Amino acid sequence: AVAGLVALLAAVLYSPTLTYQLTSWDDPPYVLQNPLTRSLDLHSIRLMFSHFYEANYFPLNLLMYAVLRSIEGVNPWIYHAWNVLLHALCTALAFTVFRSLRLSRRAAALGACVFLAHPAQVEVIAWVSQAKTLLATALGLGSLRALLLYRRRRVESPAMGWLIAS
């Protein structure tokens, strides 16, 4: 419940970004002009996973852009909504990691709130092309959470699943 509350707080705090436009820096090449995200056919997906784009290799992010584009075209709100949702997920994961480190519920919630509202987060959430940073953070925190669960439960046979997930 607390993880959900801090995630909701993150979403509310950054909800004003839903009305933002795309920036004039990296957003046009990544979102508007990106030939790899114009289709979700097998050929396009294969290209996403086998090619660099703008000197970056980030196939999951390209796949996410293609999915969002298939839903709403290049309307900026959907890309901003994705960033807000990813940040909310990261905030909930931060809370669960803090709890796995045996912090009290209150301390973990405070840590998650610092994470969600830290000024360093603003650019990452408001800048559409930084979704790759949010996605990497979510995957990293999820992996850390799975590793901590494995370490706590390693005497149990099902614990190996947490190690594999990590």
Side-chain angles (χ1 to χ4, degrees):
V2 178
L5 285 174
V6 293
L8 180 62
L9 182 59
V12 168
L13 181 64
Y14 290 101
S15 64
T17 65
L18 300 178
T19 63
Y20 293 2
Q21 296 301 309
L22 299 176
T23 68
S24 60
W25 301 306
D26 289 345
D27 290 349
Y30 282 123
V31 177
L32 300 176
Q33 302 148 358
N34 191 335
L36 298 177
T37 62
R38 292 198 175 129
S39 173
L40 274 172
D41 62 22
L42 192 56
H43 175 71
S44 296
I45 294 170
R46 199 173 302 134
L47 287 175
M48 289 175 210
F49 281 84
S50 63
H51 287 81
F52 284 78
Y53 183 75
E54 294 286 319
N56 291 291
Y57 179 74
F58 53 127
L60 293 178
N61 201 51
L62 291 175
L63 183 60
M64 179 264 315
Y65 285 150
V67 168
L68 295 177
R69 188 177 192 135
S70 74
I71 296 169
E72 190 67 28
V74 291
N75 191 335
W77 84 266
I78 197 160
Y79 298 94
H80 287 294
W82 177 249
N83 281 11
V84 169
L85 289 173
L86 271 177
H87 184 60
L89 172 65
C90 290
T91 301
L93 285 168
F95 172 80
T96 63
V97 166
F98 293 145
R99 286 294 287 156
S100 292
L101 294 171
R102 304 204 189 276
L103 293 178
S104 70
R105 190 171 284 118
R106 182 175 290 159
L110 179 61
C113 286
V114 169
F115 173 85
L116 81 89
H118 195 280
Q121 303 289 11
V122 174
E123 182 177 313
V124 174
I125 298 153
W127 191 357
V128 165
S129 60
Q130 285 300 308
K132 59 186 174 251
T133 304
L134 291 164
L135 189 57
T137 302
L139 292 170
L141 287 170
S143 177
L144 179 58
R145 171 75 168 133
L147 180 64
L148 291 169
L149 285 169
Y150 164 74
R151 289 183 49 93
R152 183 183 313 161
R153 300 175 178 169
R154 65 179 158 207
V155 294
E156 304 168 17
S157 60
M160 195 55 131
W162 289 115
L163 184 60
I164 293 166
S166 174

